[in-house]
């Protein structure tokens, strides 16, 4: 049985993964639960892990995977993870799922996206990647991009991961988006509107937030899922 704080944290992590495809940072957890320090979050995370509700992925910044949900949050049967593992050499028999039960879709892998220094704008699709249909969110077209760089590591997005993007030209504050800057630089950052300007925020203290006039930034899609590479 979970305490109220443990349940609140699990629900917050679950909602953020469902919305963004990646877990929240410890700072976001601390703010959401109105705690004074990160040590309280560490204790709650440890308790959830010991009870088998979450799993922390080794050697990954802020990487948390929800294993199951209690009945109060919809029960285990209704939960479908939206972050999947790729390129793993082996899988435990308990985690295996019959191929016939998985509805997979082929998405175009249209190039690389910068989570760090600028790279060229997204190119045309050269190959495809198979993703679970449950990972696709909302109406519209979806596509996949390979992440290059480490500016989003505190959002659980690492160099070499593949992100699933839903095409859209609009975004809300806090969304992780594909942004095209000055029609030539494509980048993956957290979106924030500041009056007549657009801030593109990294999730790594080594990178500064970049602010542009709104007419210099075009939103090309919003993050809805993540395929982890090992």
């Amino acid at each position: 049985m979970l305490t109220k704080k443990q349940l609140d944290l699990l629900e917050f992590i679950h909602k953020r993964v469902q919305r963004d495809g990646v877990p929240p940072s410890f700072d976001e957890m601390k703010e959401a639960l109105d705690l004074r320090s990160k040590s309280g979050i560490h204790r709650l995370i440890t308790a959830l892990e010991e009870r088998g509700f979450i799993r922390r992925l080794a050697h990954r910044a802020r990487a948390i995977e929800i294993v199951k949900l209690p009945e109060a949050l919809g029960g285990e049967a209704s939960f479908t993870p939206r972050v999947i593992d790729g390129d793993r050499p082996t899988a435990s028999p308990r985690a295996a799922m019959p191929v016939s039960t998985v509805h997979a879709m082929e998405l175009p892998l249209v190039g690389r996206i910068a989570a760090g220094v600028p790279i060229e704008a997204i190119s045309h699709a050269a190959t495809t990647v198979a993703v679970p249909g449950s990972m696709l969110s909302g109406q519209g077209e979806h596509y996949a991009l390979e992440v290059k760089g480490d500016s989003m590591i505190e959002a659980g997005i690492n160099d070499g991961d593949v992100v699933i993007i839903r095409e859209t030209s609009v975004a809300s504050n806090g969304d992780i988006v594909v942004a095209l800057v000055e029609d030539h630089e494509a980048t993956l950052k957290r979106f924030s509107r500041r009056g007549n300007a657009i801030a593109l925020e990294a999730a790594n203290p080594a990178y500064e937030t970049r602010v542009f006039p709104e007419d210099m930034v075009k939103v090309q899609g919003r993050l809805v899922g993540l395929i982890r590479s090992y």
Side-chain angles (χ1 to χ4, degrees):
M1 185 174 180
L2 299 179
T3 66
K4 184 179 185 305
K5 283 292 187 183
Q6 292 166 358
L7 187 63
D8 289 345
L9 179 59
L10 184 61
E11 181 178 20
F12 178 65
I13 295 171
H14 172 54
K15 287 182 177 179
R16 287 297 295 270
V17 170
Q18 292 293 100
R19 190 191 77 178
D20 296 341
V22 293
S25 68
F26 276 36
D27 283 327
E28 290 170 325
M29 296 180 202
K30 178 171 70 71
E31 182 178 347
L33 269 68
D34 195 26
L35 296 180
R36 294 182 179 180
S37 68
K38 293 182 184 179
S39 61
I41 294 297
H42 280 285
R43 287 194 293 271
L44 292 173
I45 289 290
T46 299
L48 290 173
E49 187 173 32
E50 289 174 348
R51 288 162 175 77
F53 288 97
I54 65 171
R55 177 169 56 216
R56 281 183 282 193
L57 304 178
H59 311 300
R60 299 286 179 174
R62 308 274 198 269
I64 297 173
E65 179 183 17
I66 296 181
V67 178
K68 63 180 181 179
L69 290 176
E71 292 183 2
L73 298 182
E76 299 174 20
S78 65
F79 174 63
T80 303
R82 297 179 62 199
V83 178
I84 65 173
D85 296 338
D87 300 328
R88 298 188 69 175
T90 59
S92 64
R94 187 178 64 176
M97 181 180 294
V99 174
S100 61
T101 67
V102 179
H103 174 58
M105 298 186 65
E106 295 284 337
L107 291 184
L109 183 64
V110 299
R112 294 176 174 178
I113 186 73
V117 297
I119 60 174
E120 294 181 358
I122 300 167
S123 62
H124 295 293
T127 185
T128 61
V129 60
V131 302
S134 59
M135 185 178 285
L136 307 185
S137 171
Q139 301 297 317
E141 297 296 321
H142 292 73
Y143 57 91
L145 291 164
E146 181 185 356
V147 174
K148 300 302 294 182
D150 61 357
S151 72
M152 298 302 289
I153 57 173
E154 290 196 1
I157 304 171
N158 302 297
D159 183 53
D161 287 347
V162 173
V163 290
I164 309 303
I165 305 297
R166 179 172 65 85
E167 286 188 6
T168 180
S169 60
V170 297
S172 301
N173 287 346
D175 286 347
I176 296 176
V177 303
V178 173
L180 187 64
V181 180
E182 297 185 273
D183 289 325
H184 73 273
E185 174 197 336
T187 187
L188 185 74
K189 294 291 185 291
R190 196 176 296 279
F191 176 94
S192 179
R193 185 175 293 278
R194 301 181 180 180
N196 293 325
I198 301 296
L200 299 177
E201 302 173 355
N204 182 337
Y207 295 84
E208 295 182 355
T209 296
R210 303 169 67 197
V211 181
F212 302 91
E214 60 182 352
D215 61 355
M216 292 177 60
V217 177
K218 296 178 182 178
V219 174
Q220 294 194 316
R222 184 173 68 84
L223 178 74
V224 297
L226 175 72
I227 300 175
R228 172 121 302 140
S229 296
Y230 291 90

